[in-house]
Amino acid sequence: MQRIGTLGGIFPVNPNTIYPLLRRLEERGFIRGELDESTKRGTTVYHITVPGEERLEIIKTNLRPYLTNLIAAMQRLRREMYGETS
């Protein structure tokens, strides 16, 4: 959640959303959680699995054209709203 929070504040970080998502990803075999007993609270550390890496590559491939179009649209919107040239 800390890492997501550092992404420019555009993704809301809510434990009520994150933990169910982590459980579903673990149930599907995309991640695995390990209890880190070196912390007082017994923090669970999640690691991506081989099937998770494979699924991530598929997602990244499918998402790239969408992100390219989204970035271009946002740049056009910014230019139109603020009269910027770059």
Side-chain angles (χ1 to χ4, degrees):
M1 286 191 308
Q2 291 170 345
R3 186 169 179 202
I4 294 170
T6 65
L7 297 175
I10 59 173
F11 297 105
V13 181
N14 182 335
N16 295 328
T17 303
I18 296 295
Y19 289 117
L21 174 60
L22 289 171
R23 278 194 295 280
R24 284 194 309 271
L25 289 170
E26 193 168 21
E27 287 169 2
R28 294 176 183 172
F30 296 137
I31 62 172
R32 70 180 155 71
E34 294 178 354
L35 190 60
D36 180 359
E37 296 179 13
S38 68
T39 63
K40 290 181 181 179
R41 297 176 62 196
T43 303
T44 301
V45 178
Y46 292 90
H47 302 276
I48 193 164
T49 62
V50 171
E53 291 280 358
E54 292 167 354
R55 181 68 177 142
L56 177 60
E57 287 307 311
I58 292 168
I59 291 169
K60 287 169 54 176
T61 298
N62 292 337
L63 193 58
R64 187 176 193 120
Y66 171 77
L67 289 176
T68 300
N69 291 337
L70 179 61
I71 290 166
M74 296 302 291
Q75 288 171 335
R76 281 192 306 274
L77 178 62
R78 183 177 180 170
R79 282 192 303 271
E80 289 176 16
M81 288 183 70
Y82 300 103
E84 297 177 0
T85 59
S86 57

